[in-house]
Amino acid sequence: MDVTELLAIKELSMLGVGIDWRRCFLTTNNPYYESFMRWHFQILSDQNKLEFIPQFVAHSTQDGMVADQKDPTIWHSLLPHLVPMVKLRVLDFPKRLSASLQDKEVYFLGEVEIKNNLAEKNVDVETLEIPALPDWGAFRANGYNQIYICDKKTAKGLAFQQSIDAGEIDCLMDIDLQEIREISLRTPLNQKITISVSRYADVMYRIPRSLLGLSEDTAQTDANEVKAKLVGDWIDRGDAFMYGRLNRHQWRSSHVVGLTKQWMIKYNDLAWKDQVLSQLKSTQLCRRSQVLLKDVERAEIQNSCLSQGLGPKLSQNNFVGSSSDSLLIPAYATISHLLQGNPQGSIPGKLGIRHEDMTKEVWDYLMLGNLPKDRQLPRQADLERIKSEFEYWYPLDVLNAQEHSYCLQMLFNHVAVFPKYFPRSIVYHPKHISYHANNKKESVYYGSSTWRIIELADLLEGSADVIRMLLVTIPTSIGSRGHQYMEKFTLALCRNIKWAEGIISNSAMMRDGSELRWEDSILECSIVEVVQKVETYYKQMNYRAAFVDGYYILKKARSRYRHYVRHLRDMNRNLILKFLEVQAIILSPIIPHYSQHIFDILNKNMLIQKAVWPEMTIDQSVLVRHQHFEDLLRHLFKNKPRKPSEAIIYVAKSFPAWINDLLACVPKTQQPWSVYEIWQSYDATKNTD
């Protein structure tokens, strides 16, 4: 961890990220952070937001331990997948099996599936299709009174899922594939079927649509609802049960899904969900963050967050689980440098407060402002300083989240612990700095795709500003086509620098900027409009929108201006220099090195961080006239078989008499937009008399 910390500081500094490195801390084996987390979960426990319930989790078959307790790094690659397992009663046995199994209650196990391909054979007949596996047998798994015929991998899972302490698998006899094919079965739908070998990787009990009353035109979603209701009825009757297994490309010989009681946070609590919804509706959300509001409204928080537990133990000394590690990290980061003297928390910080002194009463005072009624807290002055530090930095100005479940978990826990410190704004976007690996042997499985991590040092072989442009615009493309975009952005910045140098060297050829022409006014108003928008975006922490407007929209306005003036001698010298200066200032938080280089080209002789934000006013009438002109051009060239090479546009110096009469009836404050609307509806080709 010491090496990782040094590399992180070095490479993030190369990227130009401004971080207070005093606040670095580790969350593993850190007594100060563990004290904070104990306080956090004690609050959740007092609010009845924790429950101890059975959950399907990955276990190690070597010692029976839960996988994330033995090796937390493999937790995400071993998420269980629940499937309904139906019990098919065995009617007839081969001769060798009859002596041992004839008088016993024997079932064959298989997953349930509804037939969808109407062109296949036996579409109206129930079938049981099995893979050509060699290791079949009759098993009495722990917790079962019946005998089950299945493959040995499934039997291993049954042993772990029916008792917390996994025992030895009781295999009564081995059965070869040919004997399996001679078995006849009775289904829960009271149909007699036989077994056939197929290409499926799992045992599939396939039900025809006609048997469930489904027509050929029934949608798949409706069929799934019927299947879910049918399986639910079977589970209630004891003819089926839910079975947890790892996906085939996740499965390892040393891991199996078991049923273990876990401490879980009750994110599906309706009252808690309503509190989060109320806070979210008063929080500023970017466009992508709207999905969080919709998910909470649809009660999908349970599916997003309950896939991981807090572990089977929740005590004063052992409570931190895989999903509890980062729920309130920003709150602790505000005061970590005052509590601990190193990232590991092995020595006290500059205030000399030991981790043993961080009791629940102390945390209540620091985070919630609650003082004990019966006694005075020790070291009140130091605690007051820590409390002031926390209140200065909280609440979060912006929650910038890349993980969907992490963002939802953090919001729910902030409502429970810090109801008055809910984040002011939320920016949510998919995770990045990772990409799909073509070679699955060298990748680690995360969720539904294989991902490989890209080292930041590899990206920093290019320009730091280019990486920042990539992160702020298209972060999801860093892995797949990252280097292509890096080359594209590098060439774009180099062209801009070359153009700026050409403007400075040829500025004497431009006209004096004392008089603003019509095309000058359009560019100036575009600059002012972008500056005002970018300022708003920065206040909202919406960096992507700020960069898009500050870079691309201004670039488009510059190209339009160059198209209007055509020649360098017709450009307004002062306006072009102002354009370069303003764009450099508003882009400096995102691409500081490029912006500083533009400032040096303009001979400003100062750091761009010391530059004042441009204060400019806008003439709305100029924008209205320009918008009308653009609409007119689109109308002229719309639906023309051949685009004309040139056109003459006549501009009237005054309105027709009937428009002047209308304007006389419109209040002065409404005239600018009224004139624009009148001209939009005015068709000069018609006789308006």
Side-chain angles (χ1 to χ4, degrees), residues 432-656:
H432 51 277
I433 310 293
S434 56
Y435 68 96
H436 188 271
N438 294 322
N439 188 353
K440 294 185 178 180
K441 294 181 179 179
E442 300 178 1
S443 61
V444 178
Y445 182 84
Y446 289 98
S448 60
S449 302
T450 47
W451 299 86
R452 186 187 300 157
I453 302 301
I454 297 178
E455 292 187 4
L456 187 57
D458 296 337
L459 295 176
L460 289 174
E461 293 177 357
S463 167
D465 279 4
V466 171
I467 302 301
R468 294 163 72 97
M469 288 176 65
L470 195 60
L471 289 171
V472 80
T473 52
I474 42 177
T476 55
S477 298
I478 283 185
S480 58
R481 292 185 295 170
H483 291 288
Q484 297 179 18
Y485 282 109
M486 289 172 62
E487 293 176 1
K488 178 182 176 181
F489 289 153
T490 301
L491 292 175
L493 293 182
C494 290
R495 284 194 297 265
N496 291 341
I497 291 174
K498 186 176 181 180
W499 183 80
E501 292 173 345
I503 288 294
I504 297 300
S505 60
N506 298 306
S507 59
M509 299 175 57
M510 300 181 186
R511 63 181 175 87
D512 185 21
S514 57
E515 179 184 356
L516 287 181
R517 297 178 181 176
W518 176 74
E519 58 269 20
D520 298 338
S521 300
I522 293 177
L523 179 59
E524 185 181 46
C525 289
S526 299
I527 295 173
V528 177
E529 189 177 26
V530 168
V531 167
Q532 293 177 351
K533 287 184 178 181
V534 170
E535 184 178 8
T536 303
Y537 292 143
Y538 277 138
K539 290 179 180 179
Q540 299 172 355
M541 302 291 180
N542 191 348
Y543 296 109
R544 184 181 187 277
F547 181 79
V548 168
D549 276 35
Y551 183 80
Y552 291 105
I553 302 301
L554 275 186
K555 183 180 178 181
K556 182 179 179 181
R558 184 195 70 182
S559 301
R560 183 174 58 230
Y561 177 73
R562 294 172 63 186
H563 177 72
Y564 286 159
V565 298
R566 294 300 180 99
H567 300 290
L568 184 65
R569 62 177 178 271
D570 294 328
M571 287 187 176
N572 188 318
R573 183 189 311 113
N574 295 341
L575 182 61
I576 291 299
L577 296 179
K578 186 69 173 177
F579 170 87
L580 290 172
E581 179 183 354
V582 169
Q583 189 182 43
I585 293 175
I586 64 178
L587 292 180
S588 59
I590 300 175
I591 46 176
H593 306 92
Y594 166 82
S595 301
Q596 182 63 54
H597 190 69
I598 296 295
F599 247 46
D600 295 340
I601 293 175
L602 296 175
N603 297 320
K604 292 297 181 179
N605 298 324
M606 62 179 294
L607 289 175
I608 196 167
Q609 285 82 0
K610 297 182 179 180
V612 180
W613 187 264
E615 296 288 342
M616 306 175 71
T617 58
I618 189 170
D619 186 357
Q620 293 289 345
S621 63
V622 175
L623 289 180
V624 171
R625 292 197 298 269
H626 171 256
Q627 182 64 42
H628 175 68
F629 180 73
E630 292 289 335
D631 293 342
L632 180 62
L633 289 180
R634 281 193 293 269
H635 176 72
L636 288 175
F637 297 114
K638 185 178 181 181
N639 298 327
K640 296 295 188 295
R642 291 180 56 190
K643 289 187 178 181
S645 58
E646 60 182 24
I648 300 176
I649 300 176
Y650 295 94
V651 181
K653 294 184 178 180
S654 61
F655 291 121

Side-chain angles (χ1 to χ4, degrees), residues 164-432:
I164 294 178
D165 297 325
E168 294 293 332
I169 299 174
D170 186 5
C171 182
L172 301 179
M173 64 176 61
D174 293 329
I175 307 176
D176 59 36
L177 187 61
Q178 182 59 37
E179 292 175 322
I180 290 289
R181 301 177 67 174
E182 298 177 11
I183 295 176
S184 61
L185 309 168
R186 182 173 297 279
T187 70
L189 297 176
N190 204 26
Q191 300 289 322
K192 185 176 180 179
I193 62 174
T194 57
I195 300 174
S196 60
V197 179
S198 70
R199 57 182 173 82
Y200 288 100
D202 299 293
V203 179
M204 304 301 298
Y205 166 51
R206 310 186 68 222
I207 309 174
R209 287 179 167 234
S210 58
L211 203 58
L212 301 178
L214 301 174
S215 63
E216 297 180 2
D217 300 329
T218 304
Q220 183 62 37
T221 54
D222 297 334
N224 291 336
E225 292 178 1
V226 173
K227 171 186 171 182
K229 184 178 183 304
L230 181 66
V231 170
D233 294 339
W234 288 350
I235 292 176
D236 294 338
R237 293 190 342 227
D239 292 334
F241 56 90
M242 296 305 295
Y243 175 73
R245 62 174 174 83
L246 300 175
N247 288 330
R248 186 153 298 277
H249 51 279
Q250 291 178 309
W251 183 77
R252 305 180 181 187
S253 59
S254 60
H255 290 93
V256 68
V257 175
L259 191 62
T260 304
K261 282 194 172 183
Q262 293 262 304
W263 281 103
M264 307 294 292
I265 302 178
K266 295 192 290 187
Y267 290 111
N268 53 351
D269 183 86
L270 295 180
W272 198 4
K273 186 194 76 171
D274 292 339
Q275 294 174 357
V276 175
L277 274 176
S278 177
Q279 292 277 19
L280 275 176
K281 290 177 180 178
S282 60
T283 302
Q284 187 172 358
L285 302 175
C286 72
R287 178 175 56 85
R288 291 182 178 179
S289 302
Q290 298 294 331
V291 66
L292 301 175
L293 185 62
K294 295 178 181 178
D295 284 350
V296 177
E297 288 177 342
R298 291 196 298 261
E300 292 187 1
I301 180 71
Q302 183 176 8
N303 295 333
S304 300
C305 299
L306 285 189
S307 59
Q308 303 176 38
L310 305 176
K313 298 180 181 180
L314 188 63
S315 63
Q316 292 294 325
N317 299 320
N318 186 356
F319 65 92
V320 178
S322 57
S323 68
S324 65
D325 197 39
S326 57
L327 302 179
L328 297 179
I329 273 186
Y332 183 77
T334 61
I335 60 175
S336 61
H337 64 296
L338 298 176
L339 293 177
Q340 49 191 76
N342 59 4
Q344 295 78 15
S346 58
I347 59 176
K350 57 184 178 181
L351 297 182
I353 298 179
R354 302 175 305 164
H355 64 86
E356 295 89 348
D357 301 330
M358 303 303 296
T359 61
K360 183 180 184 300
E361 291 78 9
V362 172
W363 285 115
D364 284 342
Y365 174 67
L366 296 179
M367 298 292 166
L368 305 178
N370 299 333
L371 278 170
K373 298 179 180 179
D374 54 346
R375 62 186 180 88
Q376 185 75 13
L377 291 175
R379 309 190 62 169
Q380 186 70 33
D382 292 336
L383 295 181
E384 184 64 33
R385 179 179 176 184
I386 299 174
K387 180 174 178 290
S388 300
E389 186 80 7
F390 169 72
E391 293 177 345
Y392 176 82
W393 290 107
Y394 243 60
L396 295 174
D397 292 314
V398 58
L399 171 58
N400 195 332
Q402 301 168 15
E403 289 285 353
H404 183 264
S405 60
Y406 159 74
C407 186
L408 291 175
Q409 287 175 336
M410 188 173 181
L411 296 178
F412 270 71
N413 281 271
H414 270 72
V415 167
V417 181
F418 307 125
K420 66 177 182 179
Y421 290 139
F422 200 77
R424 294 192 177 103
S425 61
I426 300 174
V427 177
Y428 168 72
H429 51 80
K431 65 180 180 180
H432 51 277

